[in-house]
Amino acid sequence: MKKLLKYMLTAAPFLYMILIWVMSSNPDDAVLRFPDDGLDRFIKESLHLVEFGILYALFVVALLAHGRLRFTLNFTVALIAIFYGFVDEIHQSFVPYRSSTMIDAAKDLIGVTVLFWIVNRTYFRNPDHRLTKAMKRFEAYVKKD
């Protein structure tokens, strides 16, 4: 059962990348449209901060599941998430009814950077922090056979 969990956690960031690609291939109102245009734009613009932060977090969870969360790998997956944000913006420039801006790419970068900072300040520098303890418990749980 734990092997299945490990496989699912390993696949999660890649499946999420596919989901991002598919969602970026559609017009921005294909799934959800709020009646107020201002609210609709605000929420969808804010999601850039969250969307790629989630991608980075899924990579961190996958590394934890394998007991491989080290600073260099953590930095590497952060760069992968940021790079994928740039790739997504380029992809959107070719999709009708979508736009691609450097501001959106910057939002993707900020979302990943904030989470990266949190992981570094807790997991790597503060072993007594609640988040660090929770991450260590999760890591130990998944490693047990």
Side-chain angles (χ1 to χ4, degrees):
M1 185 67 171
K2 288 190 182 173
K3 280 192 181 228
L4 177 62
L5 178 62
K6 273 187 182 182
Y7 290 132
M8 289 173 38
L9 293 174
T10 303
F14 301 103
L15 294 173
Y16 188 68
M17 289 168 82
I18 292 169
L19 178 66
I20 290 171
W21 189 269
V22 169
M23 295 299 291
S24 293
S25 299
N26 295 308
D28 68 344
D29 61 352
V31 175
L32 182 64
R33 176 99 180 131
F34 291 97
D36 179 22
D37 286 341
L39 178 65
D40 187 66
R41 182 171 168 81
F42 174 76
I43 289 175
K44 289 177 181 172
E45 290 297 322
S46 299
L47 286 176
H48 279 277
L49 294 166
V50 176
E51 181 178 20
F52 289 90
I54 290 172
L55 176 60
Y56 164 71
L58 289 172
F59 275 120
V60 169
V61 169
L63 290 173
L64 281 171
H66 292 277
R68 304 221 178 205
L69 185 59
R70 307 289 180 271
F71 181 80
T72 52
L73 278 176
N74 183 46
F75 186 74
T76 302
V77 296
L79 288 178
I80 290 169
I82 291 167
F83 177 73
Y84 194 70
F86 289 126
V87 168
D88 182 55
E89 289 305 316
I90 293 167
H91 167 239
Q92 285 183 32
S93 71
F94 294 102
V95 176
Y97 308 108
R98 293 302 294 249
S99 64
S100 174
T101 66
M102 288 307 293
I103 291 174
D104 287 347
K107 290 178 202 169
D108 302 341
L109 175 107
I110 291 167
V112 173
T113 303
V114 167
L115 228 55
F116 176 77
W117 182 82
I118 290 169
V119 169
N120 281 328
R121 296 297 273 181
T122 57
Y123 189 82
F124 295 110
R125 294 188 184 163
N126 191 351
D128 295 327
H129 194 278
R130 285 182 288 179
L131 182 60
T132 304
K133 289 178 181 179
M135 292 169 76
K136 296 277 186 183
R137 279 193 304 271
F138 173 76
E139 190 175 23
Y141 171 78
V142 175
K143 283 175 92 175
K144 284 184 191 176
D145 288 323

